[in-house]
Each structure stands twice: as C-alpha cells, then as structure tokens.
C-alpha cells in the first residue's frame, strides 16, 4: 500500500519576485476598475476584478515554471521464483514416486515461504503455472536448458528475492548455466532430484590421424578414450587394419577420465584403408556399444618418379642427384647430354619423360640441346602440367628457355655473359622450402658460401614467391636468386645461380644440412599442386544429435607437407544468437583439437583460421548439422555437482529432495532481512499544462463577455 510522504513546489525564480508580481497585478486591476464608465454595481466590479486578477496571476505563475513534486513510498513484497524440471530424464526411474515427492515439495514451499511465489515448469523452455495446476508436471520435456531460466529472470520486471530450482541438473541444450548464475546477483537455492548412482563405462571418443599418410612410411594414430567409474583399471585396446588384427595395447584408465593412446602405424599399400579400434569389455562395464570405433583413411603412394635432365655433366647436377637419392621414396631417372652426339639413357627418353612426376632441369637447355628432346620437355610442361625445378648454369640457353616463359617463376630481358659472386639474402619463407629440420633460420642461409650468378636482368613474376635475393659486396640487390610459383596448374622453382654445390661442400657445421633439406623440400613442394588444401577441419561426424559434444580436429601443413605445430587455430561459428569462437590446442604432428559442448538444432558453418607469427596463412571450413533426439534417455545420472556449483556461486544453498524443508527456513530468513521499500516520486509540470492555458483563455473570455454586457468602454 502506498503512503504519502511529502509535497514540494519549486519555481524557476525566487518566490519574492512572484509575490511582488502578484501585488503589482492587484494594484493594476484595482486601479483599472476603481472608476468605470458607465458605473457598474459593486458585485459586478468585484467579479471583474477577480476574473482579470486570476487570469494575470496564472500567466505570472506559468512564467515562473512551477513544478509540484509528490513523494510516496511503499514496501514491496519479496517474490520467490520456483522452477520445476519437467524433463524426461527425471522420470526414467521411479516416475510416480518422484512426481509425488516433487509436487509435495512445491506445495509445501509455496505454502510456507513468506511473500509471493511464482511457480514455473521448465525443460527447453519456461512455462508459468499455478500451484493448483501441478498436474501439468508430467516429465515430458525432451531437452533440459537451465540457461533459459536465467534469461527469463533477467527479462522479468518483478522484484525477485530468491530463486529455487528443483532439477536433476542434467543439461543437454543451451550453454553452461554457471556464468549466468554468477552474474544474476540473486541467491539460488537448488533441490536435487534424480539418480545419483554411477555406472561404469569405457568409450572410444575420437581417432586423430594425419591427412597425408604414405605407404611404407610410419605415422601416428591417436585414440582418445573416456572412462567413467573405471579409474585405475587396466584395459586392452586392439587395432585392426581392414578388419585384420594388427596390434594391441594395455593401458590404465586415468583418474581424470581421459586417455590418449598412440599407435605407430606403417601402412604397406596405398588406397582407402579401414582402421578399427576396439576395447575389450571390462568387468562391471554396463555399456559396450561405444567400445568400438572405425575410420577410413586414404593411404597415398610413396614413390615419386623424378627425372633429372641436364644439358651437360656438372658438379651441381651430381650434388642435386646425391641429395635426391637420400630419400628412398624417390625413384631417380636421368637424361644427361654428355656430348653433342652422346646422351645418357637416350633409348629411354620417351618413357622417362612420360612416367615422370617432377622434372629437374639442371643447366637445361643449352645451345647444343637436340630439338626433339627440348620439344618433348616443353610439351609435358605446357600440355601435361608437369612441375619442374630449374637450375641455371653458365651454358644455359635462355632463348630456348623462352618457349616455356609462361610457366617460369621469373622473367628475363637480356642475356649477358657476365658473372658475379653473390650470397643469398632471405628474410621470410611462406613456402617451407627453406626449412631445415623443421625450422627456418635466415641467418644460416644468409651466411652460406657465395655462388656464381649471371649479370642477366632477372625479375620475379608478379605473384611468385621470392625466397631469396642476392647480396653482392654486402649490398642487397633487388634481383631474385630463388623464386617459386604455384599460380598455374603446375608448380615451378628456379635457382638463378650456379655452383650451388658450394652450399653443401663448403658450408660450416650448422649449415651442412641446408642444401639437402632444400632439394628434398623442393620435391614435396613441387608434388603439391593444390596448395590451398593444406589446412583441414574434421568433425567426429557430419550430423550430431542435440546436446552432443562436438569435437573438431584441425590439421595444418606447410607447402612441403611438413606438419606445423606452432600455429594459432581459431574457429568462428555463426549461430542465431550471434558469433562465437572456438580455440584449439595442439596435440602434436600438425594436429589441433577443439570442442564445443552443445549447439541448438540447425546447420552450422565452422570457419577456421590458421595463424603463424600473427599472420593468417590458411583458412578452412566444414558444415555440420544438429538434429533433435531424446537425449534425456541417454544420461539419467543426476548432476549433483552442477547444482551445488550454481548455488555456491550465487550465495544460495543445495538441498537433496528428501531434505527440502530446510530451504523454507533459509528463504524466509533471507526475505525478512531483505525487505525492499520503494520510493516513488511524481512530478507535475504546471507550466506545460494545456488546461492552464484553457483556464486563462476562459477567464479573459468571461471578463470580455461581462464587460460587453455591462456596456463598459
């Protein structure tokens, strides 16, 4: 009930001026009507004086902008919100008994808690009911969303004193309610109801592996296993390749419930292969349906045909050949023009060219190169999109090379015979070609022994990678030394200098592997003709059931297919509620792991960015779909810990359903200590009232009417 406290009147100017104005108005009106022509009765004169004085006084008051302020106060009864879980998970066991117990608790709380009590049912939405309508409590909800409770409270204009949640704490829709409870600034009392028994379970949750797996090359397959109630127990997991037993491992279930088991796997054949992992049933394990999981992987061929073509024998040719032969996955063929009339493997030229995957042109072509060989090489580069490595020599005929000008990563405008001694100068490597043992060290490259370069005017093509320029007499020149291009359907690398054998033979100890790494990296880079497909996203599956945890795996490689472990991976997800990001953590070997607990029903695009040293180097995306299902039946164990956490973080308290009566005393204590008195102020602005203007007009009109009737001048 409202109670009146006080009234205040305020003016824009001092009261003294208002009183003075009032006196002047009275004097003016009195003098004006003291003598009238013709004379009128005293009664009419008094009416006219009062009428004009009132009109002028109102105008004077309005000039002073008066405001009337009324102050009231009243006590607001505390309102207690009671939310009752109506989801299906509560009714899986002892449905009738639990329903009766919950209804009794709600009625008892509603009767004995002071103040007003609002009762709501919730599952995936919130519905208001009366205490007499608890028959609607039928545990039919297919989802549980605790977050909706806090959204509902935030939007309510009711003075909420306390919140009581009666639930099993199992959530399978919406987001984690912990932070909402923390920010709502209202004590939350929780009453736990449901099954607290723990069941034993072992589950293969995820299988992680590299996108690029090669035959006869070892790789690691990581299996993530979740356990519940089996901590410390020893389990056996078997690995099958195309349903044939491969190996098995024993492991002890970790206390934190998660094991990551690594299997070292060397496939023997290329092609699609089914990999299956199965955990043997353990004692007292109630669910074995999730003990087995399979994935299909595509095993790639590991042998590449490399064709070395040289216009004449040279030390550079020999050193490049030696480096390539250190990789057993490469098959090396050679075509070498030994003299004008002698070519090594001349009988196999056609088969070598046709079967090659990558060409290495070492000092090729020369002025003595036969046209039939030159034309075949030009044809496979232009028509069959063969990737190639070009190494300049003193005898290279650039005029003949012009025939593949559009596939070269460089341009040249004049050929000269001048020779300059120069060193590499490199600052960055976007391709991975200059890595040594997985790392790029520009200082080692820039201090390599000098090699010979031509004074020909070379320029890098627009869009090509300039991996190194040249340093002459400690001065960096704008001419490319190493350049690469992947803009067309084939890739190309060019080293515009010769005597590069010095980078290996004359290098110091820290530099000794740079030459071999560069040559072997060039094979990987040239063999990758789709450089955009070096960053991959993969979900456990394409279609998830509502409330399921979504695990996302990202894989990142450089352009030589080497895994990148030092990247920052983030994924942006668009939802109806806005955008949010998922952060990934590296698990090694270029593999990153991220997860999101649950998403509402719908189709989602995950757009991932990979950053290295603050720069985005690649992007990837996948699409998943979340569909409805009765997840309430999948997990029926009460989440007592979540209910306790919600109460604790909001200064409330947790009660079991059998001890619910303790909540009545606690809520009443809180309500009595937090009675709220609301002060209400109402302000009336007289000067802006249309009625005051109407009164002034009426008074002046009345005065005019009376004067006319009396015949006053």
């Amino acid at each position: 009930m409202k109670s009146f406290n006080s009234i205040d009147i305020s003016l824009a100017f001092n009261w003294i001026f208002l009183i003075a104005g009032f006196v002047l108005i009275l004097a003016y009106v009195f003098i004006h009507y003291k003598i009238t022509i013709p004379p009128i009765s005293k009664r009419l004169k008094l009416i006219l004086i009062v009428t004009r004085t009132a009109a002028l006084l109102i105008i004077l008051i309005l000039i002073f902008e008066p405001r009337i302020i009324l102050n009231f106060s009243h006590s607001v009864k505390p309102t207690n919100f009671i939310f009752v879980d109506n989801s299906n998970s509560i009714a899986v066991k002892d449905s009738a008994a639990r329903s009766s117990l919950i209804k009794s608790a709600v009625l008892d709380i509603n009767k004995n808690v002071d103040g007003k009590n609002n009762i709501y049912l919730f599952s995936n939405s919130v519905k208001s009911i009366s205490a007499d309508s608890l028959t609607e409590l039928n545990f039919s909800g297919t989802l549980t969303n605790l977050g909706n409770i806090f959204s509902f409270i935030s939007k309510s204009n009711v003075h909420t004193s306390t919140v009581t949640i009666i639930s099993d704490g199992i959530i399978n829709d919406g987001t984690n309610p912990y932070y909402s409870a923390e920010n709502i600034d209202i004590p939350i009392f929780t009453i736990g109801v449901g099954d607290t028994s723990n069941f034993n379970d072992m589950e293969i949750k995820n299988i992680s592996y590299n996108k690029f797996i090669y035959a006869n090359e070892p790789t690691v397959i990581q299996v993530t296993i979740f356990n519940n109630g089996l901590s410390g127990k020893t389990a056996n997991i078997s690995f099958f390749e195309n349903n044939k037993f491969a190996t098995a491992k024993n492991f002890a279930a970790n206390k934190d419930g998660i094991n990551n088991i690594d299997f070292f796997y060397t496939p023997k054949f290329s092609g699609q292969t089914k990999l299956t992992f199965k955990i043997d049933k353990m004692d007292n394990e109630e669910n074995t349906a999730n003990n087995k999981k399979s994935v299909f992987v595509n095993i790639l061929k590991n042998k590449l045909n490399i064709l070395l073509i040289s216009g004449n024998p040279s030390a550079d040719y020999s050193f490049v050949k030696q480096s390539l032969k250190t990789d057993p996955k490469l098959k090396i063929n050679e075509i070498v023009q030994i003299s004008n009339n002698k070519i090594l493997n001349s009988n196999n030229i056609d088969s070598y060219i046709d079967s090659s995957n990558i060409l290495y042109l070492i000092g090729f072509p020369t002025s003595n190169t036969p046209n039939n060989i030159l034309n075949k090489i030009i044809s496979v580069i232009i028509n069959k999109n063969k990737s190639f490595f070009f190494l300049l020599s003193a005898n290279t005929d650039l005029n003949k090379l012009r025939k593949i000008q559009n596939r070269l990563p460089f341009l040249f405008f004049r050929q000269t015979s001048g020779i300059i001694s120069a060193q590499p100068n490199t600052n960055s490597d976007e391709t991975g070609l200059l890595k040594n043992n997985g790392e790029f060290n520009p200082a080692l490259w820039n201090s390599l022994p000098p090699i010979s370069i031509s004074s020909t005017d070379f320029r890098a093509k627009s869009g090509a990678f300039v991996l190194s320029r040249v340093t002459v007499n400690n001065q960096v020149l704008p001419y490319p030394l190493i350049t690469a291009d992947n803009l067309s359907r084939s890739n190309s690398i060019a080293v515009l200098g010769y005597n590069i054998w010095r980078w290996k033979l004359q290098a110091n100890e820290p530099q000794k592997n740079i030459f071999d790494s560069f040559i072997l990296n060039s094979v990987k880079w040239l063999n990758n003709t789709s450089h955009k497909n070096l960053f991959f996203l993969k979900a456990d599956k394409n279609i998830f059931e509502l409330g399921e945890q979504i695990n996302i795996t990202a894989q990142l490689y450089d352009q030589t297919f080497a895994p990148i472990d030092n990247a920052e991976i983030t994924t942006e997800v668009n939802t109806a509620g806005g955008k949010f990001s998922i952060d990934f953590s590296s698990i090694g070997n270029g593999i990153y792991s991220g997860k999101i607990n649950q998403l509402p029903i719908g189709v989602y695009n995950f757009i991932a960015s990979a950053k290295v040293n603050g720069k985005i180097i690649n992007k990837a995306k996948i699409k998943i779909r979340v569909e409805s299902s009765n997840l309430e039946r999948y997990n029926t164990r009460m989440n007592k810990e979540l209910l306790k956490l919600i109460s604790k973080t909001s200064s409330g308290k947790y009660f079991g359903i059998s001890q619910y009566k303790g909540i009545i005393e606690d809520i009443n204590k809180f309500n009595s200590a937090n009675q709220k008195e609301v002060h209400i102020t109402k302000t009336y602005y007289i000067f802006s009232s249309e009625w005051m203007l109407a009164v002034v007009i009426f008074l002046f009109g009345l005065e005019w009417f009376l004067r006319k009737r009396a015949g006053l001048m």
Side-chain angles (χ1 to χ4, degrees), residues 541-554:
K541 51 189 177 181
N542 295 327
I543 301 174
F544 289 84
E545 294 177 333
L546 185 62
E548 272 192 284
Q549 177 174 286
I550 299 169
N551 295 299
I552 307 292
T553 301

Side-chain angles (χ1 to χ4, degrees), residues 268-281:
K268 294 181 180 180
F269 305 102
S270 61
Q272 191 177 70
T273 303
K274 180 183 178 183
L275 305 181
T276 303
F277 297 88
K278 182 181 179 182
I279 302 173
D280 295 345
K281 185 180 184 301

Side-chain angles (χ1 to χ4, degrees), residues 20 138 209 214 224 267 303 311 479 535 598 614 625 684:
N138 55 13
Y209 54 91
Y214 294 90
T224 302
K303 284 286 186 180
Y479 304 114
F535 183 36
Q598 52 213 336
R625 188 165 77 246
Y684 298 94

Side-chain angles (χ1 to χ4, degrees), residues 67-102:
R67 289 179 298 171
I68 299 176
I69 302 170
L70 303 179
N71 298 305
F72 302 88
S73 65
H74 71 97
S75 295
V76 179
K77 269 190 173 183
T79 301
N80 308 296
F81 281 4
I82 303 172
F83 295 91
V84 185
D85 192 340
N86 195 34
S87 63
N88 194 241
S89 59
I90 293 180
V92 173
K93 296 181 182 179
D94 304 323
S95 173
R98 288 182 183 172
S99 176
S100 177
L101 193 58
I102 291 173

Side-chain angles (χ1 to χ4, degrees), residues 60 71 104 129 136 169 187 194 204 255 270 273 304 319 335 344 355 371 382 385 387 436 465 506 514 607 664 682 713:
L60 177 65
N71 298 305
S104 297
I129 64 167
E136 297 182 32
I204 296 179
K255 292 181 179 180
S270 61
T273 303
L304 284 176
F319 275 73
I335 299 176
L344 181 65
S355 64
N371 286 331
I382 294 178
N385 299 307
S387 295
N436 181 27
F465 299 102
Q506 297 177 2
I514 283 183
I607 304 172
I664 297 173
K682 292 186 177 181
M713 296 180 61

Side-chain angles (χ1 to χ4, degrees), residues 21 35 60 86 114 173 218 318 331 428 448 453 459 510 542 554 562 594 617 619 635 647 674:
I35 300 173
L60 177 65
N86 195 34
D114 297 335
D173 187 30
S318 298
K331 182 180 179 181
S428 62
L448 283 170
I453 65 169
R459 302 291 175 88
N542 295 327
I617 62 170
K619 288 189 174 184
N635 180 15
S647 293
N674 290 274

